[in-house]
Amino acid sequence: MRLFYAIFLPEEVKRALVEAQERVARYKGWREVAPHHLHVTLLFLGERPEEDLADLRALGHRLGRLHPPFTARIRGTGYFPNEGTPRVWFAKAEGEGFALLAEGLREGVRELLGEEALLAGGDKPFKPHITLARRKAPAPRVPPVVFGLEWPVTEFALVRSELKPKGPVYTILEKFPLRGDHGREQEESAGKRTQDH
């Protein structure tokens, strides 16, 4: 099954991005991403055997316990590639939690399933973004869009993607709340030790 870890967006953020998608909707060469598919990919795993699921679920819960919620922001748009003919129009996502989670997932998957399990995601550096549209035929670039969006990220998910003729179908297999319990436990433990002395 085709799998990835991702953070999905609250409705108000999706509404603002859907409004921005109207900039490319007039051009047949761009195909907008459906609102319920808008997300930040943390780690793409590609095709994985079903027996990997237990490890991948356990990894998600472990990282959820390690990392606290954080604030995500969207300020503007960009293209992949930035030069030449673009294939993807995206919104840039900011927030230090994105990189921490993505790196934690990469390390965890490497430890559990080996380096081979990371090959599907390629070796490009992680750049948190939300794909707004994909270019399917000649179509112009649209001017940059400026946003002032932010939202609290409180969970991430393991997602199954099935490729269908009308587009991918995403199924959330499990959500992992961000709690940061481990960090709090360490602080509480350290505080208790200090008081004890």
Side-chain angles (χ1 to χ4, degrees):
M1 59 181 63
R2 196 166 182 259
L3 301 172
F4 63 97
Y5 289 102
I7 291 170
F8 286 88
L9 312 176
E11 289 300 321
E12 63 272 21
V13 174
K14 283 194 283 190
R15 280 196 294 272
L17 297 180
V18 169
E19 285 181 19
Q21 287 176 317
E22 293 175 5
R23 307 287 181 96
V24 297
R26 71 188 77 166
Y27 305 112
K28 291 182 180 177
W30 286 106
R31 182 180 297 172
E32 306 98 284
V33 172
H36 62 283
H37 281 174
L38 294 171
H39 67 273
V40 178
T41 298
L42 295 170
L43 182 64
F44 180 71
L45 296 163
E47 291 290 338
R48 301 301 313 168
E50 192 163 346
E51 53 263 34
D52 286 354
L53 276 180
D55 282 339
L56 295 172
R57 290 177 197 265
L59 172 62
H61 285 296
R62 180 163 62 85
L63 288 181
R65 287 192 294 272
L66 290 172
H67 294 279
F70 65 95
T71 299
R73 298 176 184 83
I74 301 175
R75 299 287 185 239
T77 56
Y79 290 97
F80 292 136
N82 189 39
E83 303 294 332
T85 302
R87 292 189 303 276
V88 169
W89 184 48
F90 65 89
K92 302 170 192 171
E94 301 171 6
E96 64 181 21
F98 287 124
L100 293 173
L101 277 176
E103 187 55 34
L105 288 168
R106 284 186 65 84
E107 288 301 317
V109 168
R110 182 182 287 116
E111 288 173 13
L112 290 168
L113 306 176
E115 191 74 27
E116 174 270 339
L118 297 172
L119 296 178
D123 57 0
K124 295 178 182 175
F126 174 69
K127 292 183 179 179
H129 67 277
I130 300 135
T131 297
L132 299 175
R134 292 184 173 85
R135 190 171 178 272
K136 300 296 183 184
R141 290 175 179 243
V142 297
V145 179
V146 176
F147 302 101
L149 301 170
E150 66 177 47
W151 78 97
V153 176
T154 60
E155 64 183 15
F156 66 103
L158 178 63
V159 186
R160 178 179 185 176
S161 171
E162 297 173 88
L163 299 179
K164 305 283 187 179
K166 291 186 176 180
V169 175
Y170 295 163
T171 304
I172 293 179
L173 300 178
E174 190 138 353
K175 293 180 178 178
F176 311 106
L178 297 176
R179 294 199 293 263
D181 292 344
H182 179 69
R184 280 199 295 275
E185 287 170 3
Q186 282 186 326
E187 288 174 11
E188 289 169 4
S189 176
K192 188 175 180 182
R193 283 198 302 271
T194 302
Q195 289 173 0
D196 289 343
H197 288 288

mmCIF file of all heavy atoms in Angstrom, residues 143-164:
data_model
loop_
_atom_site.group_PDB
_atom_site.id
_atom_site.type_symbol
_atom_site.label_atom_id
_atom_site.label_comp_id
_atom_site.label_asym_id
_atom_site.label_seq_id
_atom_site.Cartn_x
_atom_site.Cartn_y
_atom_site.Cartn_z
ATOM 1 N N PRO A 143 0.757 35.472 -10.381
ATOM 2 C CA PRO A 143 1.547 36.275 -9.438
ATOM 3 C C PRO A 143 1.500 35.685 -8.028
ATOM 4 O O PRO A 143 0.548 34.971 -7.674
ATOM 5 C CB PRO A 143 0.857 37.640 -9.481
ATOM 6 C CG PRO A 143 0.111 37.654 -10.766
ATOM 7 C CD PRO A 143 -0.314 36.236 -11.018
ATOM 8 N N PRO A 144 2.508 35.991 -7.213
ATOM 9 C CA PRO A 144 2.518 35.472 -5.841
ATOM 10 C C PRO A 144 1.276 35.904 -5.058
ATOM 11 O O PRO A 144 0.736 36.985 -5.293
ATOM 12 C CB PRO A 144 3.779 36.103 -5.239
ATOM 13 C CG PRO A 144 4.616 36.500 -6.390
ATOM 14 C CD PRO A 144 3.682 36.828 -7.506
ATOM 15 N N VAL A 145 0.859 35.047 -4.171
ATOM 16 C CA VAL A 145 -0.258 35.351 -3.272
ATOM 17 C C VAL A 145 0.305 35.472 -1.863
ATOM 18 O O VAL A 145 1.115 34.621 -1.445
ATOM 19 C CB VAL A 145 -1.335 34.246 -3.309
ATOM 20 C CG1 VAL A 145 -2.478 34.577 -2.347
ATOM 21 C CG2 VAL A 145 -1.863 34.078 -4.731
ATOM 22 N N VAL A 146 -0.075 36.515 -1.156
ATOM 23 C CA VAL A 146 0.405 36.715 0.221
ATOM 24 C C VAL A 146 -0.700 36.324 1.189
ATOM 25 O O VAL A 146 -1.858 36.739 1.028
ATOM 26 C CB VAL A 146 0.819 38.184 0.451
ATOM 27 C CG1 VAL A 146 1.233 38.403 1.901
ATOM 28 C CG2 VAL A 146 1.955 38.570 -0.495
ATOM 29 N N PHE A 147 -0.351 35.519 2.176
ATOM 30 C CA PHE A 147 -1.303 35.087 3.206
ATOM 31 C C PHE A 147 -0.846 35.599 4.574
ATOM 32 O O PHE A 147 0.321 35.926 4.765
ATOM 33 C CB PHE A 147 -1.366 33.553 3.285
ATOM 34 C CG PHE A 147 -1.754 32.857 2.021
ATOM 35 C CD1 PHE A 147 -0.786 32.267 1.220
ATOM 36 C CD2 PHE A 147 -3.077 32.777 1.632
ATOM 37 C CE1 PHE A 147 -1.136 31.602 0.046
ATOM 38 C CE2 PHE A 147 -3.435 32.125 0.471
ATOM 39 C CZ PHE A 147 -2.464 31.536 -0.321
ATOM 40 N N GLY A 148 -1.764 35.581 5.499
ATOM 41 C CA GLY A 148 -1.439 35.825 6.897
ATOM 42 C C GLY A 148 -2.112 34.761 7.743
ATOM 43 O O GLY A 148 -2.809 35.074 8.701
ATOM 44 N N LEU A 149 -1.869 33.501 7.361
ATOM 45 C CA LEU A 149 -2.585 32.393 7.992
ATOM 46 C C LEU A 149 -1.725 31.728 9.060
ATOM 47 O O LEU A 149 -0.518 31.573 8.883
ATOM 48 C CB LEU A 149 -2.960 31.343 6.948
ATOM 49 C CG LEU A 149 -3.838 31.798 5.788
ATOM 50 C CD1 LEU A 149 -3.913 30.716 4.710
ATOM 51 C CD2 LEU A 149 -5.240 32.131 6.296
ATOM 52 N N GLU A 150 -2.331 31.324 10.154
ATOM 53 C CA GLU A 150 -1.650 30.465 11.121
ATOM 54 C C GLU A 150 -2.675 29.608 11.846
ATOM 55 O O GLU A 150 -3.852 29.970 11.939
ATOM 56 C CB GLU A 150 -0.796 31.272 12.097
ATOM 57 C CG GLU A 150 -1.525 32.175 13.043
ATOM 58 C CD GLU A 150 -0.544 32.855 14.002
ATOM 59 O OE1 GLU A 150 0.491 33.374 13.531
ATOM 60 O OE2 GLU A 150 -0.807 32.841 15.213
ATOM 61 N N TRP A 151 -2.191 28.474 12.324
ATOM 62 C CA TRP A 151 -3.071 27.557 13.036
ATOM 63 C C TRP A 151 -2.249 26.672 13.958
ATOM 64 O O TRP A 151 -1.071 26.445 13.702
ATOM 65 C CB TRP A 151 -3.894 26.716 12.049
ATOM 66 C CG TRP A 151 -3.170 25.574 11.404
ATOM 67 C CD1 TRP A 151 -3.189 24.268 11.795
ATOM 68 C CD2 TRP A 151 -2.320 25.613 10.243
ATOM 69 N NE1 TRP A 151 -2.418 23.514 10.960
ATOM 70 C CE2 TRP A 151 -1.877 24.296 9.999
ATOM 71 C CE3 TRP A 151 -1.889 26.636 9.388
ATOM 72 C CZ2 TRP A 151 -1.023 23.983 8.954
ATOM 73 C CZ3 TRP A 151 -1.036 26.322 8.339
ATOM 74 C CH2 TRP A 151 -0.625 25.023 8.124
ATOM 75 N N PRO A 152 -2.865 26.161 15.019
ATOM 76 C CA PRO A 152 -2.136 25.258 15.909
ATOM 77 C C PRO A 152 -2.122 23.838 15.337
ATOM 78 O O PRO A 152 -3.181 23.303 14.980
ATOM 79 C CB PRO A 152 -2.951 25.326 17.204
ATOM 80 C CG PRO A 152 -4.335 25.658 16.758
ATOM 81 C CD PRO A 152 -4.206 26.482 15.514
ATOM 82 N N VAL A 153 -0.945 23.265 15.233
ATOM 83 C CA VAL A 153 -0.825 21.875 14.787
ATOM 84 C C VAL A 153 -0.833 20.990 16.022
ATOM 85 O O VAL A 153 0.067 21.098 16.863
ATOM 86 C CB VAL A 153 0.468 21.658 13.968
ATOM 87 C CG1 VAL A 153 0.614 20.193 13.592
ATOM 88 C CG2 VAL A 153 0.461 22.529 12.727
ATOM 89 N N THR A 154 -1.841 20.160 16.142
ATOM 90 C CA THR A 154 -1.998 19.330 17.340
ATOM 91 C C THR A 154 -1.898 17.837 17.052
ATOM 92 O O THR A 154 -1.940 17.030 17.975
ATOM 93 C CB THR A 154 -3.347 19.615 18.015
ATOM 94 O OG1 THR A 154 -4.399 19.321 17.074
ATOM 95 C CG2 THR A 154 -3.453 21.076 18.448
ATOM 96 N N GLU A 155 -1.796 17.481 15.763
ATOM 97 C CA GLU A 155 -1.714 16.059 15.419
ATOM 98 C C GLU A 155 -1.148 15.898 14.015
ATOM 99 O O GLU A 155 -1.127 16.854 13.225
ATOM 100 C CB GLU A 155 -3.097 15.401 15.502
ATOM 101 C CG GLU A 155 -4.075 15.980 14.495
ATOM 102 C CD GLU A 155 -5.467 15.393 14.613
ATOM 103 O OE1 GLU A 155 -5.771 14.755 15.635
ATOM 104 O OE2 GLU A 155 -6.246 15.577 13.659
ATOM 105 N N PHE A 156 -0.694 14.690 13.719
ATOM 106 C CA PHE A 156 -0.354 14.328 12.347
ATOM 107 C C PHE A 156 -0.920 12.942 12.094
ATOM 108 O O PHE A 156 -1.524 12.338 12.993
ATOM 109 C CB PHE A 156 1.158 14.420 12.099
ATOM 110 C CG PHE A 156 1.999 13.445 12.857
ATOM 111 C CD1 PHE A 156 2.530 12.319 12.239
ATOM 112 C CD2 PHE A 156 2.299 13.651 14.196
ATOM 113 C CE1 PHE A 156 3.319 11.414 12.923
ATOM 114 C CE2 PHE A 156 3.089 12.750 14.899
ATOM 115 C CZ PHE A 156 3.598 11.636 14.261
ATOM 116 N N ALA A 157 -0.780 12.460 10.868
ATOM 117 C CA ALA A 157 -1.495 11.236 10.514
ATOM 118 C C ALA A 157 -0.671 10.354 9.583
ATOM 119 O O ALA A 157 0.209 10.829 8.857
ATOM 120 C CB ALA A 157 -2.817 11.589 9.831
ATOM 121 N N LEU A 158 -0.973 9.063 9.633
ATOM 122 C CA LEU A 158 -0.470 8.104 8.646
ATOM 123 C C LEU A 158 -1.589 7.909 7.631
ATOM 124 O O LEU A 158 -2.737 7.617 8.004
ATOM 125 C CB LEU A 158 -0.114 6.777 9.320
ATOM 126 C CG LEU A 158 0.393 5.665 8.402
ATOM 127 C CD1 LEU A 158 1.708 6.053 7.721
ATOM 128 C CD2 LEU A 158 0.586 4.362 9.193
ATOM 129 N N VAL A 159 -1.264 8.085 6.356
ATOM 130 C CA VAL A 159 -2.285 8.139 5.313
ATOM 131 C C VAL A 159 -1.993 7.098 4.233
ATOM 132 O O VAL A 159 -0.847 6.911 3.831
ATOM 133 C CB VAL A 159 -2.318 9.541 4.661
ATOM 134 C CG1 VAL A 159 -3.480 9.657 3.672
ATOM 135 C CG2 VAL A 159 -2.399 10.622 5.723
ATOM 136 N N ARG A 160 -3.064 6.464 3.772
ATOM 137 C CA ARG A 160 -2.966 5.572 2.612
ATOM 138 C C ARG A 160 -3.447 6.324 1.380
ATOM 139 O O ARG A 160 -4.497 6.986 1.435
ATOM 140 C CB ARG A 160 -3.828 4.331 2.817
ATOM 141 C CG ARG A 160 -3.800 3.386 1.631
ATOM 142 C CD ARG A 160 -4.647 2.162 1.883
ATOM 143 N NE ARG A 160 -4.512 1.210 0.792
ATOM 144 C CZ ARG A 160 -5.081 0.017 0.768
ATOM 145 N NH1 ARG A 160 -5.828 -0.367 1.781
ATOM 146 N NH2 ARG A 160 -4.912 -0.795 -0.253
ATOM 147 N N SER A 161 -2.703 6.252 0.303
ATOM 148 C CA SER A 161 -3.073 6.924 -0.946
ATOM 149 C C SER A 161 -3.302 5.861 -2.013
ATOM 150 O O SER A 161 -2.418 5.051 -2.292
ATOM 151 C CB SER A 161 -1.958 7.881 -1.384
ATOM 152 O OG SER A 161 -2.207 8.360 -2.675
ATOM 153 N N GLU A 162 -4.500 5.871 -2.581
ATOM 154 C CA GLU A 162 -4.817 4.953 -3.679
ATOM 155 C C GLU A 162 -4.982 5.772 -4.950
ATOM 156 O O GLU A 162 -5.776 6.712 -4.982
ATOM 157 C CB GLU A 162 -6.101 4.188 -3.374
ATOM 158 C CG GLU A 162 -5.976 3.295 -2.150
ATOM 159 C CD GLU A 162 -7.316 2.688 -1.771
ATOM 160 O OE1 GLU A 162 -7.649 1.620 -2.297
ATOM 161 O OE2 GLU A 162 -8.025 3.316 -0.962
ATOM 162 N N LEU A 163 -4.234 5.431 -5.982
ATOM 163 C CA LEU A 163 -4.289 6.179 -7.236
ATOM 164 C C LEU A 163 -5.448 5.659 -8.082
ATOM 165 O O LEU A 163 -5.488 4.489 -8.457
ATOM 166 C CB LEU A 163 -2.961 6.037 -7.975
ATOM 167 C CG LEU A 163 -1.738 6.573 -7.209
ATOM 168 C CD1 LEU A 163 -0.469 6.353 -8.017
ATOM 169 C CD2 LEU A 163 -1.919 8.057 -6.884
ATOM 170 N N LYS A 164 -6.388 6.542 -8.368
ATOM 171 C CA LYS A 164 -7.574 6.200 -9.169
ATOM 172 C C LYS A 164 -7.572 7.062 -10.427
ATOM 173 O O LYS A 164 -6.924 8.126 -10.469
ATOM 174 C CB LYS A 164 -8.850 6.480 -8.355
ATOM 175 C CG LYS A 164 -8.898 5.771 -7.007
ATOM 176 C CD LYS A 164 -9.246 4.320 -7.170
ATOM 177 C CE LYS A 164 -9.466 3.676 -5.816
ATOM 178 N NZ LYS A 164 -9.833 2.265 -5.907
#
